[in-house]
Amino acid sequence: RTKGHQRGSHTIFTREMGIEIRERARLMQHLHKAFDADRLFLAYQPQVDLNSHRLIGFEALLRWRTDEGLMIPPNDFIPLAEHSGLIISLGAWVLRTACHTMVQLQQAGLAPERMGVNVSVIQFRQPDFIKIVETALRDTGLQAHHLELEITESVTMAGAELFEESLSKFKQMGVQVAIDDFGTGFSSLSYLDKLPVDRLKIDRAFVNQIDTPEGPRIAELITQLGKKLGLLLIAEGIETEHHWQVLRDMGCHEGQGFLIAKPMIEADLADWIRNWNKQHISGINI
Ligand code: C2E
Ligand code: MG
Ligand code: MG
Ligand code: MG
């Protein structure tokens, strides 16, 4: 009886795996085509100073709209792109495009201090990753200190020496580095203390938590840790004025989230920036 049951569940298991593999292969084909056919684009989410309301940056976020108009979230297709290696060329394109947008904003006199770009561990492990970043900067004419690379906490643990070496090079170049989704991985504190990074991004989960009985405890711990380490802090996922106030009062410097703006297409940036600056200059606070 036990044997039969095992065989049964084994059959189901393989069948489901088969479907999953076929489904992934199919999605992968679509993703390759989408990249070739310019169906991938970037959306930009503003980052602001929580005290002064000043616009300080944008984070570039990858978007995929299928021919049928369906939006596929990056969390669904980036793992796929990482698995197939497409992330290398895709990531280089993201870098170049985000840098180019920043230069366009500079030429219009609208640019904030920095453009944040998410970088996958697979990209970071590429031996020529620094060259790819240098090329993106050179080709677009963006100065290094206007670029910030967002690297998830898990990257920092994978291949420590290589990581430290690359980070030092970026530091020398003037490229800024933020640790993304901070608090969701398992960084060792002594290691974190050594890393030449500029900023910790408090994960959206801990901002959400402010509304629960847990309250802002974790966000507060991360803020205090960051300050002790001499790092700047930015919170993601600010959705309410209450979030904004709580985070600002605990000493978190910057934030982004739907309260300020959802990620927007490049064509909407100029109007949004002018509007934000106008509201800020005339003293209207949100
Ligand atoms: P992330 O880097 O932590 O980006 C923040 C995510 O939170 C974004 O989701 C953003 O749209 C969302 N978000 C921002 N504010 C709010 C808010 O107030 N409420 C809610 N509910 N969500 C908010 P998105 O765009 O779906 O991206 C998901 C993840 O995909 C990113 O997380 C990042 O890890 C990855 N990703 C996006 N673009 C790229 C890329 O170009 N390269 C790589 N390697 N990863 C990317
Ligand atoms: Mg990010
Ligand atoms: Mg994040
Ligand atoms: Mg996050």
Side-chain angles (χ1 to χ4, degrees), residues 61-86:
L61 294 156
L62 196 53
R63 295 288 177 265
W64 174 11
R65 198 198 311 273
T66 66
D67 294 335
E68 296 81 33
L70 196 73
M71 291 292 291
I72 305 191
N75 282 330
D76 286 0
F77 68 84
I78 281 166
L80 220 60
E82 287 174 336
H83 193 74
S84 75
L86 180 67

Side-chain angles (χ1 to χ4, degrees), residues 27 44 47 62 89 114 157 220 235 244 247 274 279:
L27 254 178
Y44 300 91
Q47 304 175 323
L62 196 53
S89 46
R114 60 171 195 264
M157 297 314 288
E220 216 156 11
W244 179 308
L247 288 159
R274 283 197 192 94
Q279 286 196 349

Side-chain angles (χ1 to χ4, degrees), residues 59 61 118 150 180-181 201 236:
E59 176 177 7
L61 294 156
N118 292 285
E150 295 194 3
D180 208 347
D181 304 336
K201 292 197 82 170
E236 59 180 28

